[in-house]
Amino acid sequence: MEVMKFGGTSVGSPERMKEVATLITKSGNPTFVVLSAMSGTTNTLIEISDYLYKKNPEGANEIINRLERKYLGHLDELFLTEAYKQKTKKFITEEFNYLRTFTKDLFTSFEEKAIVAQGEFISTNMVVNYLQEQGIKATLLNALDFMRTDKNAEPDLQFIREKLTTILENTPDQQIYITQGFVCKNAYGEIDNLQRGGSDYTASLVGAAINAEEIQIWTDIDGMHNNDPRIVEHTEAVRQLNFEEASELAYFGAKILHPTCIQPAKYTSIPVRLKNTMEPEAEGTIINNELVNNKIKAVAAKNNIIAIKIKSSRMLGASGFLRKVFEIFESYQTPIDMIATSEVGVSMTIENNSHLTEIVDELKKYGTVTVDTNMCIICVVGDLDWSNLGFETVATEALKDIPVRMISYGGSNYNISFLIREEDKKKALQSLSNRLFNQ
Ligand code: ASP
Ligand code: MG
C-alpha cells in the first residue's frame, strides 16, 4: 500500500478536498491517506486555547462560533446529497459543542491538546463522507486508536505497528483508509500530538508501520528546492535526495518537510516522495537510500541562532573540559547544533534561548564567555565525503564577501555548515545559488 499525506492547504477548501479525492482514488489500489486540518484551523484552535488560558470564555466562544460558521458554510459546496450534508453537519455541530464545553471548566495543557486535535478530526470526517457519497469504499480510522508516544514522548513504532496491523486486518476490502495526522495518545493514554506540522511524521510512521511501498507527502510546492524560493531567485526542485541529505535540509530550514519525518522512513528504507497538489503531474522530489556522487544538491538556512564561545587557558591540554561544557547545556535541555573547537576555546550554537542566562552564568566558571545573537546557519548539502576534492572550497569561496563566524565540516559526509549574521543571509544564499547551481 502507498501512504499519501495532504497538508492544510491541500485540504483548505471543498474544492481542494475534491481534488484530493481524485488524487487518492486515481490508482485504484488500496491507499492509506493521512490528512492535516484545513489550513488555518490549528492556529485558530490555539487562539481559542489562549483565550481560555486567559480566562476569557467570551473571546473563545466568539472564535468558536466564527469557525463553526465557516465549516458549516463548506457543506453545500462539498456534498451533492442532503443525506451526506446532514450527516456531516451533525458531526460538525457536535464537534463545536464539544469545543464549547471547554469554556466552562478549568483550563490546562491537557484541555489544550484536546482542542488542537479537533481540526484533523473535522477534515478527515468531511473527506471520508465525501468519498462515501461518491460511492468509494472509504473508511475512517481513528488515529487515537494506534498512534502512541512512549514515556520519552517519542513515537512507539512497535505499538503503532501492532495496533495498525490488527485494525487493518479487521477492516478488509477498503479502497481508501483515512486517518488524522498530528494527533496521538501519550504513554499515559492522554490525548496528545506530534508537535506543529506533525502530520508528516504521522505519515512516515504509518508508512513504516505498514511497510508501505512509498510515503507521499503532498503540499503546495513542486518538491524540495535547491535553495529557499522565498528568498532566492531561480531556485529549482531537487529531483532526488538521500535520506541523510533530506534530514539535514529539513532540520536546517527547508520548510516543506517536518525534520522528524525522515527517520521512520529511513529506518525502514521506504522512499518518501514530495508532490505538489496544484501540479500533480510534476515529478516532485524522491528521497531514498541512493547517493549521487560528487554533487552538491541544495542549500538551506536556519535563523534565530545564538553562538556561544568559551575561551579558557584551562582547556589547553586538559581532558574532560568539553564534557563539563556540554553537561551545562544538557542540564538545561538545550540542544547544540554546530560546534567548532580550538586548543583554547570552543564555540557552539543553540536555537533555544530560554535558559541562555543560566547557561552563560555557569559557563563563566570555566572561562571567558562571548555571545553573538541574531545569527544564521547556512547548511550546504550533498555528497561532501572528505575524499572528494574541492567541494568545501567552492562553498567557502561563494561566501568570500561575507563575514563567517564558524564553519563546521566533517561531522557527516553530507553537509558543511557556516554560521553568519542573519542580516547577511539573503546575500549568502543568493551567492551560493549563483556559484553552485546557476552556472
Ligand atoms: N494541523 C497541524 C498543524 O497545523 C499538523 C499539520 O498540519 O501537520 O501544525
Ligand atoms: Mg506541514
Side-chain angles (χ1 to χ4, degrees), residues 245-311:
E245 295 172 329
S247 302
E248 303 268 7
L249 288 172
Y251 186 75
F252 286 109
K255 284 281 172 295
I256 177 169
L257 195 63
H258 197 266
T260 49
C261 162
I262 299 295
Q263 297 315 317
K266 185 181 124 190
Y267 173 66
T268 45
S269 288
I270 299 172
V272 176
R273 196 182 290 276
L274 309 179
K275 294 279 286 175
N276 185 358
T277 330
M278 316 290 170
E279 230 184 295
E281 300 308 325
E283 222 181 301
T285 301
I286 180 95
I287 302 166
N288 55 22
N289 269 325
E290 280 160 42
L291 181 68
V292 180
N293 290 330
N294 296 317
K295 197 166 156 74
I296 291 186
K297 296 274 191 59
V299 175
K302 192 174 184 180
N303 282 342
N304 294 321
I305 302 294
I306 302 157
I308 303 172
K309 175 159 75 190
I310 163 158
K311 234 175 77 187

Coordinates of all heavy atoms in Angstrom, one line a residue, residues 245-311:
E245 N 20.7 13.6 3.4 CA 20.6 14.9 2.8 C 19.3 15.6 3.2 O 19.3 16.8 3.6 CB 20.8 14.9 1.3 CG 22.2 14.4 0.9 CD 22.3 14.1 -0.6 OE1 21.2 13.8 -1.3 OE2 23.4 14.2 -1.2
A246 N 18.2 14.8 3.0 CA 16.9 15.4 3.3 C 16.7 15.8 4.7 O 16.2 16.8 5.1 CB 15.8 14.4 2.8
S247 N 17.3 14.9 5.6 CA 17.2 15.2 7.1 C 17.9 16.5 7.4 O 17.4 17.4 8.1 CB 17.9 14.2 7.9 OG 17.4 12.9 7.7
E248 N 19.1 16.7 6.8 CA 19.9 17.9 7.1 C 19.1 19.1 6.6 O 19.0 20.1 7.3 CB 21.2 17.9 6.4 CG 22.1 16.7 6.8 CD 23.1 17.0 7.9 OE1 23.0 18.1 8.5 OE2 23.9 16.1 8.2
L249 N 18.5 19.0 5.4 CA 17.8 20.2 4.8 C 16.6 20.5 5.6 O 16.3 21.6 5.9 CB 17.4 19.9 3.4 CG 18.6 19.9 2.4 CD1 18.1 19.4 1.0 CD2 19.2 21.3 2.2
A250 N 15.8 19.5 6.0 CA 14.6 19.7 6.8 C 14.9 20.3 8.1 O 14.3 21.2 8.6 CB 13.8 18.4 6.9
Y251 N 16.0 19.8 8.8 CA 16.4 20.3 10.1 C 16.9 21.8 10.0 O 16.6 22.6 10.8 CB 17.4 19.4 10.7 CG 17.7 19.9 12.1 CD1 16.8 19.6 13.2 CD2 18.9 20.6 12.4 CE1 17.1 20.0 14.4 CE2 19.1 21.0 13.7 CZ 18.2 20.7 14.7 OH 18.5 21.2 16.0
F252 N 17.7 22.0 8.9 CA 18.2 23.4 8.8 C 17.4 24.3 7.9 O 17.9 25.2 7.3 CB 19.7 23.3 8.3 CG 20.6 22.8 9.3 CD1 21.2 21.5 9.2 CD2 20.9 23.6 10.4 CE1 22.0 21.1 10.2 CE2 21.8 23.1 11.4 CZ 22.3 21.8 11.3
G253 N 16.1 24.1 7.9 CA 15.3 25.2 7.4 C 14.4 24.9 6.2 O 13.6 25.8 5.9
A254 N 14.6 23.8 5.5 CA 13.6 23.6 4.3 C 12.3 23.3 4.9 O 12.0 22.3 5.6 CB 14.1 22.5 3.5
K255 N 11.3 24.2 4.7 CA 10.0 24.2 5.4 C 9.1 23.1 4.9 O 8.1 22.8 5.5 CB 9.3 25.6 5.2 CG 9.9 26.6 6.1 CD 9.4 26.5 7.5 CE 10.1 27.4 8.5 NZ 11.5 27.2 8.7
I256 N 9.4 22.6 3.7 CA 8.4 21.7 3.1 C 8.2 20.4 3.9 O 7.1 19.8 3.8 CB 8.9 21.3 1.6 CG1 7.9 20.3 1.0 CG2 10.3 20.8 1.6 CD1 8.2 20.2 -0.5
L257 N 9.2 20.0 4.7 CA 9.1 18.7 5.3 C 9.4 18.8 6.8 O 10.4 19.5 7.1 CB 10.1 17.7 4.6 CG 9.9 16.3 4.9 CD1 8.6 15.8 4.4 CD2 11.1 15.5 4.2
H258 N 8.7 18.2 7.7 CA 9.0 18.2 9.1 C 10.2 17.4 9.3 O 10.3 16.3 8.9 CB 7.8 17.7 9.8 CG 7.8 18.0 11.3 ND1 8.3 17.2 12.2 CD2 7.4 19.1 11.9 CE1 8.3 17.8 13.4 NE2 7.7 18.9 13.3
P259 N 11.2 18.0 10.1 CA 12.5 17.3 10.2 C 12.4 15.9 10.7 O 13.2 15.0 10.3 CB 13.3 18.2 11.2 CG 12.5 19.4 11.4 CD 11.2 19.3 10.8
T260 N 11.5 15.6 11.6 CA 11.4 14.2 12.2 C 10.9 13.2 11.2 O 11.1 12.0 11.4 CB 10.5 14.2 13.4 OG1 9.3 14.8 13.1 CG2 11.1 14.9 14.6
C261 N 10.3 13.7 10.2 CA 9.5 12.8 9.3 C 10.5 11.8 8.6 O 10.0 10.7 8.2 CB 8.8 13.6 8.3 SG 8.3 12.8 6.8
I262 N 11.7 12.1 8.3 CA 12.6 11.3 7.6 C 12.9 10.0 8.4 O 13.1 8.9 7.8 CB 13.9 12.0 7.2 CG1 13.6 13.2 6.4 CG2 14.9 11.1 6.5 CD1 13.0 12.9 5.0
Q263 N 13.1 10.1 9.7 CA 13.6 9.0 10.5 C 12.9 7.6 10.3 O 13.6 6.7 10.0 CB 13.7 9.4 12.0 CG 14.6 10.5 12.3 CD 16.0 10.5 11.6 OE1 16.6 9.4 11.5 NE2 16.4 11.6 11.0
P264 N 11.6 7.6 10.5 CA 11.0 6.2 10.3 C 11.1 5.7 8.9 O 11.3 4.5 8.7 CB 9.5 6.5 10.6 CG 9.5 7.8 11.3 CD 10.6 8.6 10.9
A265 N 11.1 6.6 7.9 CA 11.2 6.1 6.5 C 12.6 5.6 6.3 O 12.8 4.5 5.6 CB 10.9 7.3 5.6
K266 N 13.6 6.3 6.8 CA 15.0 5.9 6.6 C 15.2 4.6 7.3 O 15.9 3.7 6.7 CB 15.9 7.0 7.2 CG 17.4 6.8 7.0 CD 18.1 7.9 7.7 CE 19.1 7.3 8.6 NZ 19.8 8.2 9.5
Y267 N 14.7 4.5 8.5 CA 14.9 3.3 9.3 C 14.4 2.0 8.6 O 14.9 0.9 8.7 CB 14.2 3.5 10.6 CG 14.1 2.4 11.6 CD1 15.2 1.9 12.2 CD2 12.8 2.0 12.0 CE1 15.0 0.9 13.2 CE2 12.6 0.9 12.9 CZ 13.8 0.4 13.5 OH 13.6 -0.6 14.4
T268 N 13.3 2.2 7.8 CA 12.7 1.1 7.2 C 12.9 1.1 5.7 O 12.4 0.3 4.9 CB 11.1 1.1 7.4 OG1 10.6 2.4 7.2 CG2 10.8 0.6 8.8
S269 N 13.8 2.0 5.2 CA 14.1 2.2 3.8 C 12.9 2.3 2.9 O 12.9 1.8 1.8 CB 14.9 1.0 3.3 OG 16.2 1.0 3.8
I270 N 11.9 3.1 3.3 CA 10.8 3.3 2.4 C 10.9 4.7 1.8 O 11.1 5.7 2.5 CB 9.5 3.3 3.3 CG1 9.3 1.9 3.9 CG2 8.3 3.6 2.4 CD1 8.2 1.8 4.9
P271 N 10.9 4.8 0.5 CA 11.1 6.0 -0.2 C 10.0 7.0 0.2 O 8.8 6.7 0.3 CB 11.0 5.7 -1.7 CG 10.9 4.2 -1.8 CD 10.7 3.7 -0.5
V272 N 10.4 8.3 0.3 CA 9.5 9.4 0.6 C 9.4 10.3 -0.7 O 10.4 10.7 -1.2 CB 9.9 10.2 1.8 CG1 9.0 11.4 2.0 CG2 10.0 9.4 3.0
R273 N 8.2 10.5 -1.2 CA 8.1 11.3 -2.4 C 7.3 12.6 -2.1 O 6.3 12.6 -1.5 CB 7.3 10.6 -3.5 CG 7.5 11.2 -4.9 CD 6.7 10.4 -5.9 NE 7.2 9.1 -6.2 CZ 8.2 8.8 -7.1 NH1 8.8 9.8 -7.7 NH2 8.6 7.6 -7.3
L274 N 7.9 13.8 -2.4 CA 7.3 15.0 -2.2 C 6.6 15.5 -3.4 O 7.2 15.5 -4.5 CB 8.3 16.1 -1.8 CG 9.2 15.7 -0.6 CD1 10.2 16.8 -0.4 CD2 8.5 15.4 0.6
K275 N 5.3 15.7 -3.3 CA 4.5 16.0 -4.5 C 3.7 17.3 -4.4 O 3.4 17.7 -3.2 CB 3.5 14.9 -4.8 CG 4.2 13.6 -5.2 CD 4.6 13.5 -6.7 CE 3.4 13.3 -7.6 NZ 3.9 13.3 -9.0
N276 N 3.3 17.9 -5.5 CA 2.5 19.1 -5.5 C 1.1 18.9 -5.8 O 0.8 18.5 -7.0 CB 3.2 20.1 -6.4 CG 2.6 21.5 -6.4 OD1 1.7 21.7 -5.7 ND2 3.2 22.4 -7.2
T277 N 0.2 19.2 -4.9 CA -1.3 19.1 -5.2 C -1.7 20.0 -6.4 O -2.6 19.6 -7.1 CB -2.1 19.5 -4.0 OG1 -1.4 19.2 -2.8 CG2 -3.4 18.7 -3.9
M278 N -1.1 21.1 -6.5 CA -1.5 22.1 -7.5 C -1.0 21.6 -8.9 O -1.5 22.1 -9.9 CB -1.0 23.5 -7.3 CG -1.1 24.0 -5.9 SD -2.8 24.3 -5.4 CE -2.6 24.5 -3.6
E279 N 0.0 20.8 -8.9 CA 0.6 20.4 -10.2 C 0.9 18.9 -10.0 O 2.1 18.5 -10.0 CB 1.9 21.1 -10.3 CG 2.1 21.8 -11.7 CD 3.5 22.4 -11.8 OE1 3.7 23.4 -11.1 OE2 4.3 21.9 -12.6
P280 N -0.1 18.0 -10.0 CA 0.1 16.6 -9.7 C 1.0 15.9 -10.6 O 1.6 14.9 -10.3 CB -1.3 16.0 -9.7 CG -2.2 17.1 -9.9 CD -1.5 18.4 -10.2
E281 N 1.1 16.4 -11.9 CA 2.0 15.7 -12.8 C 3.5 15.9 -12.7 O 4.3 15.2 -13.1 CB 1.6 16.0 -14.3 CG 0.1 15.7 -14.6 CD -0.3 14.2 -14.3 OE1 0.6 13.3 -14.5 OE2 -1.4 14.0 -13.9
A282 N 3.8 17.0 -12.0 CA 5.2 17.4 -11.8 C 5.9 16.3 -11.0 O 5.3 15.6 -10.1 CB 5.3 18.7 -11.1
E283 N 7.1 16.1 -11.3 CA 7.9 14.9 -10.8 C 8.0 15.0 -9.3 O 8.0 13.9 -8.6 CB 9.2 14.9 -11.5 CG 9.7 13.5 -11.9 CD 11.0 13.6 -12.5 OE1 11.2 14.3 -13.5 OE2 11.9 12.9 -12.0
G284 N 8.3 16.1 -8.7 CA 8.5 16.2 -7.3 C 9.9 15.8 -6.9 O 10.8 15.7 -7.7
T285 N 10.0 15.5 -5.6 CA 11.4 15.0 -5.1 C 11.2 13.7 -4.5 O 10.3 13.4 -3.8 CB 11.8 16.0 -4.0 OG1 11.9 17.3 -4.5 CG2 13.2 15.6 -3.5
I286 N 12.1 12.8 -4.9 CA 12.1 11.5 -4.2 C 13.3 11.4 -3.2 O 14.4 11.8 -3.6 CB 12.2 10.3 -5.3 CG1 12.1 8.9 -4.6 CG2 13.4 10.4 -6.2 CD1 10.8 8.4 -4.5
I287 N 13.0 10.9 -2.1 CA 14.0 10.8 -1.0 C 14.2 9.3 -0.7 O 13.2 8.6 -0.4 CB 13.6 11.5 0.3 CG1 13.3 13.0 0.0 CG2 14.6 11.3 1.4 CD1 12.6 13.7 1.1
N288 N 15.4 8.8 -1.0 CA 15.6 7.3 -0.8 C 17.1 7.1 -0.3 O 17.8 8.0 0.0 CB 15.3 6.6 -2.1 CG 16.0 7.1 -3.3 OD1 17.1 7.8 -3.1 ND2 15.5 6.9 -4.5
N289 N 17.5 5.8 -0.4 CA 18.8 5.4 0.0 C 20.0 5.8 -0.9 O 21.1 5.7 -0.6 CB 18.9 3.9 0.2 CG 18.5 3.6 1.6 OD1 18.8 4.3 2.6 ND2 17.8 2.4 1.8
E290 N 19.6 6.2 -2.2 CA 20.7 6.4 -3.2 C 21.5 7.7 -2.9 O 20.9 8.6 -2.4 CB 20.1 6.5 -4.6 CG 19.7 5.1 -5.1 CD 18.7 5.2 -6.2 OE1 18.8 6.1 -7.1 OE2 17.8 4.3 -6.2
L291 N 22.7 7.6 -3.3 CA 23.6 8.8 -3.1 C 24.2 9.1 -4.5 O 24.9 8.3 -5.1 CB 24.6 8.6 -2.1 CG 25.5 9.8 -1.8 CD1 24.7 11.0 -1.2 CD2 26.7 9.4 -1.0
V292 N 23.9 10.3 -5.0 CA 24.6 10.7 -6.2 C 26.0 11.3 -5.9 O 26.1 12.2 -5.1 CB 23.8 11.8 -7.0 CG1 24.5 12.2 -8.3 CG2 22.4 11.3 -7.2
N293 N 27.0 10.7 -6.4 CA 28.3 11.1 -6.0 C 28.7 12.4 -6.6 O 28.2 12.8 -7.7 CB 29.4 10.0 -6.5 CG 29.2 8.8 -5.7 OD1 28.8 8.8 -4.5 ND2 29.5 7.6 -6.3
N294 N 29.6 13.1 -5.9 CA 30.2 14.3 -6.4 C 29.2 15.4 -6.8 O 29.3 16.0 -7.8 CB 31.1 14.1 -7.6 CG 32.2 13.2 -7.2 OD1 32.9 13.4 -6.2 ND2 32.5 12.2 -8.0
K295 N 28.2 15.6 -6.0 CA 27.2 16.6 -6.3 C 26.7 17.3 -5.1 O 26.4 16.7 -4.1 CB 26.0 15.9 -7.0 CG 25.1 16.9 -7.8 CD 24.2 16.1 -8.7 CE 23.0 16.9 -9.0 NZ 22.9 17.9 -9.8
I296 N 26.7 18.6 -5.2 CA 26.1 19.4 -4.1 C 24.6 19.6 -4.5 O 24.3 20.1 -5.6 CB 26.8 20.8 -3.9 CG1 28.2 20.5 -3.3 CG2 26.0 21.7 -3.0 CD1 29.0 21.7 -2.9
K297 N 23.7 19.3 -3.6 CA 22.3 19.2 -4.0 C 21.5 20.5 -3.7 O 20.7 20.9 -4.4 CB 21.6 18.1 -3.3 CG 22.1 16.7 -3.7 CD 21.4 16.2 -4.9 CE 21.7 14.7 -5.2 NZ 21.3 13.8 -4.1
A298 N 21.8 21.0 -2.5 CA 20.9 22.1 -2.0 C 21.5 22.9 -0.9 O 22.4 22.4 -0.2 CB 19.5 21.5 -1.6
V299 N 20.8 24.0 -0.6 CA 21.3 24.9 0.5 C 20.1 25.2 1.3 O 19.0 25.4 0.8 CB 21.9 26.2 -0.1 CG1 22.2 27.2 0.9 CG2 23.1 25.9 -1.0
A300 N 20.2 25.3 2.6 CA 19.1 25.7 3.5 C 19.6 26.6 4.6 O 20.9 26.7 4.8 CB 18.4 24.5 4.1
A301 N 18.8 27.4 5.2 CA 19.2 28.3 6.3 C 18.3 28.3 7.5 O 17.1 28.1 7.3 CB 19.3 29.7 5.7
K302 N 18.9 28.5 8.6 CA 18.1 28.5 9.9 C 18.4 29.7 10.7 O 19.6 30.0 11.0 CB 18.5 27.2 10.6 CG 17.6 26.9 11.8 CD 18.0 25.6 12.4 CE 17.1 25.1 13.5 NZ 17.4 23.9 14.1
N303 N 17.3 30.5 11.0 CA 17.5 31.8 11.7 C 17.5 31.6 13.2 O 17.3 30.5 13.7 CB 16.3 32.7 11.3 CG 16.5 33.3 10.0 OD1 17.6 33.3 9.4 ND2 15.4 33.8 9.5
N304 N 17.6 32.8 13.9 CA 17.5 32.8 15.3 C 18.5 32.0 16.0 O 18.2 31.3 17.0 CB 16.1 32.4 15.8 CG 15.0 33.3 15.3 OD1 15.2 34.5 15.3 ND2 13.9 32.8 14.9
I305 N 19.7 32.0 15.5 CA 20.7 31.1 16.1 C 21.6 32.0 17.0 O 21.9 33.2 16.7 CB 21.6 30.5 15.0 CG1 20.7 29.6 14.1 CG2 22.7 29.7 15.6 CD1 20.1 28.4 14.7
I306 N 22.0 31.4 18.2 CA 22.9 32.1 19.1 C 24.2 31.4 19.1 O 24.2 30.2 19.3 CB 22.2 32.1 20.5 CG1 20.9 32.8 20.5 CG2 23.1 32.8 21.5 CD1 20.0 32.3 21.6
A307 N 25.3 32.1 19.0 CA 26.6 31.5 19.1 C 27.2 31.8 20.5 O 27.1 32.9 20.9 CB 27.5 32.0 18.0
I308 N 27.7 30.8 21.1 CA 28.3 31.0 22.4 C 29.8 30.5 22.3 O 30.0 29.4 21.9 CB 27.6 30.2 23.5 CG1 26.1 30.6 23.5 CG2 28.2 30.4 24.9 CD1 25.3 29.7 24.4
K309 N 30.7 31.4 22.7 CA 32.1 31.0 22.7 C 32.6 31.0 24.1 O 32.4 31.9 24.9 CB 32.9 31.9 21.9 CG 34.4 31.6 21.9 CD 35.1 32.2 20.7 CE 35.3 33.7 20.9 NZ 35.8 34.4 19.6
I310 N 33.4 29.9 24.5 CA 34.0 29.9 25.8 C 35.5 29.7 25.6 O 35.9 28.8 24.9 CB 33.4 28.9 26.8 CG1 34.4 28.6 27.9 CG2 33.0 27.6 26.1 CD1 33.7 28.1 29.1
K311 N 36.3 30.7 26.1 CA 37.7 30.7 25.9 C 38.4 30.4 27.3 O 38.0 31.1 28.2 CB 38.2 32.0 25.4 CG 39.0 31.9 24.1 CD 39.3 33.3 23.6 CE 40.4 33.9 24.4 NZ 40.7 35.4 24.0

